[in-house]
Amino acid sequence: MFRTPLTLFRTLAIAEAVSWTLLIAGLILRATADLPIAVSIGGGIHGFVFLAYGATAVLVALNQRWGFGPAAIAVVSAVIPYATVPTEIWLHRTGRLQGAWRLDETSDPRDRRPLDRLLRFFLRRPAILGLVLVVVVALVFVVLLIAGPPGGKG
């Protein structure tokens, strides 16, 4: 399904924008129809997709060997409503999303780094990679739920 970094990143960038819509709709419903559950639902979905997008941005940045700047912009774009879509467009237009997953070692000396070897190990096993990412995102999500919403529960 996600045969290239572009398809994975684009899918999560769009999902993050959709999740912003759900959160904003929940906030509007809470304010106009006195439905606080709408924020819980929209906020929960947004929070999970937000974390999944961040994990995806890091994974794609490692695979594509982005510098700190593009990687930070990709991750931080999730904080600004709908910014993941123009970020994806920019990354695509600048060629940062071109190419395939780096499954095999090349003559590039960077391919011998432990992080690159670990990346290739997981990229060759997409089911395990997906499971690890879902578990990590879910654990972070649960920890954040226990910590409570930004600004407190009041």
Side-chain angles (χ1 to χ4, degrees):
M1 178 176 186
F2 300 117
R3 298 207 183 272
T4 65
L6 170 64
T7 57
L8 178 62
F9 191 85
R10 180 173 285 162
T11 301
L12 268 294
I14 291 169
E16 170 60 7
V18 170
S19 78
W20 269 110
T21 303
L22 294 174
L23 175 58
I24 292 167
L27 291 167
I28 291 169
L29 286 171
R30 181 180 68 184
T32 59
D34 195 30
L35 285 172
I37 189 73
V39 174
S40 297
I41 294 168
I45 293 169
H46 171 68
F48 192 84
V49 174
F50 173 89
L51 294 171
Y53 170 82
T56 298
V58 170
L59 176 68
V60 171
L62 289 171
N63 185 78
Q64 301 300 95
R65 292 190 170 129
W66 296 343
F68 177 78
I73 289 170
V75 171
V76 171
S77 70
V79 177
I80 303 163
Y82 306 104
T84 56
V85 172
T87 299
E88 183 275 329
I89 292 169
W90 169 71
L91 290 167
H92 182 61
R93 285 184 181 167
T94 58
R96 288 182 172 92
L97 291 172
Q98 289 179 341
W101 295 108
R102 291 188 301 109
L103 302 174
D104 299 311
E105 186 174 338
T106 66
S107 60
D108 188 324
R110 296 176 292 183
D111 278 345
R112 289 187 283 284
R113 296 184 306 193
L115 182 60
D116 283 69
R117 279 190 243 140
L118 184 64
L119 177 67
R120 281 193 308 279
F121 172 84
F122 281 110
L123 288 175
R124 285 190 209 117
R125 296 158 182 86
I128 295 172
L129 174 61
L131 181 63
V132 167
L133 288 176
V134 167
V135 167
V136 169
V137 167
L139 285 173
V140 171
F141 185 72
V142 168
V143 168
L144 291 173
L145 281 177
I146 292 169
K153 295 183 181 186

